[in-house]
């Protein structure tokens, strides 16, 4: 076994998707230590192999409800340093909120996003290195929802754009490049977002995802 490679466990009852992800990860320099078709297999695999990252479908057998998510919660409790990337065919924010709120080494991606190979690998690498990623489709859907207590009502349009890019896990430099503004301007927007959403200013990356989570919880 090459100790220098990031070790990944895969869990999805869709064998074709699972094999495709395994092949993609191996070609990109990761080591797939095992695959699982249900939650119990996943837990056994993680306990035996102690991977750096578990990629988990939220809905798995036998009930295709939240078995994968429930297993991910167990993994987070037993192995807090193991990164977790949740996959879902549908937007299911409420179920994953507690896990996302842990704020580090965690991500939520729609399966439709996996077809973007470079973006998917970038997401995996961000999570492995301690970051958090929320699928921008989740953020965009909720940004359009108008609620009286919606914390985004306090944000400007530009701040909403910055928040959406924050949710993708982008750095201030990455946001600046995307929006054609300076990095200093992005920093000012981030501080304003944290202030308006009543999140304390800190250098920790997980506060960036908590800004998104705080909005999602106010739905």
């Amino acid at each position: 076994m090459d100790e220098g490679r990031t070790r990944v466990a895969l869990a999805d009852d869709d064998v074709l998707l699972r094999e495709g992800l395994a092949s993609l990860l191996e070609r990109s320099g990761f080591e797939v230590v095992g695959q699982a078709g249900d939650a119990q297999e996943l837990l056994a695999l993680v306990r035996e192999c102690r991977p750096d990252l578990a990629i988990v479908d939220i809905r798995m057998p036998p009930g295709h409800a939240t078995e994968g998510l429930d297993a991910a919660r167990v993994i987070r409790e037993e192995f807090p340093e193991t990164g977790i990337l949740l996959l879902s065919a549908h937007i299911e924010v409420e179920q994953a909120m507690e896990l996302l709120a842990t704020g580090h080494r965690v991500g939520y991606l729609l399966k439709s996003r996996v077809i973007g190979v470079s973006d998917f690998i970038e997401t995996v690498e961000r999570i492995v290195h301690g970051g958090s990623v929320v699928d921008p489709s989740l953020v965009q859907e909720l940004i359009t929802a108008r609620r009286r207590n919606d914390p985004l009502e306090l944000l400007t349009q530009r701040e909403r754009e910055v928040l959406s890019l924050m949710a993708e896990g982008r750095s201030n430099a990455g946001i600046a490049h995307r929006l054609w503004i300076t990095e200093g301007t992005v920093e000012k927007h981030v501080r304003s977002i944290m202030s308006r959403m009543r999140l304390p200013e800190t250098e920790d990356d997980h506060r960036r995802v908590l800004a998104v989570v705080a909005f999602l919880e106010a739905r």
Side-chain angles (χ1 to χ4, degrees), residues 151 154-156 159 191-199:
L154 301 175
L155 304 186
T156 66
E159 287 168 350
R191 286 198 297 270
S192 178
I193 290 168
M194 297 298 178
S195 175
R196 293 177 192 270
M197 299 184 75
R198 299 180 180 178
L199 292 171

Side-chain angles (χ1 to χ4, degrees), residues 171-196:
S171 65
N172 286 355
I175 294 172
H177 179 74
R178 175 65 69 88
L179 297 180
W180 295 89
I181 57 180
T182 68
E183 190 170 346
T185 299
V186 174
E187 292 173 357
K188 290 179 182 178
H189 285 315
V190 171
R191 286 198 297 270
S192 178
I193 290 168
M194 297 298 178
S195 175
R196 293 177 192 270

Side-chain angles (χ1 to χ4, degrees), residues 46-119:
V46 170
R47 287 165 178 158
E48 177 183 356
C49 298
R50 306 290 179 90
D52 302 301
L53 174 71
I55 299 178
V56 185
D57 185 10
I58 285 181
R59 298 188 179 193
M60 287 200 294
H64 292 279
T66 60
E67 289 87 350
L69 179 59
D70 294 339
R73 291 192 183 108
V74 174
I75 294 169
R76 178 46 51 102
E77 181 177 345
E78 293 186 9
F79 308 102
E81 292 308 309
T82 296
I84 297 172
L85 173 56
L86 298 171
L87 299 180
S88 178
H90 309 285
I91 295 175
E92 301 173 283
V93 177
E94 289 79 3
Q95 295 92 325
M97 192 66 63
E98 178 184 347
L99 193 61
L100 291 173
T102 61
H104 70 285
R105 295 181 185 274
V106 65
Y108 187 123
L109 208 60
L110 293 179
K111 288 186 175 181
S112 59
R113 190 77 53 180
V114 175
I115 61 175
V117 174
S118 61
D119 287 344

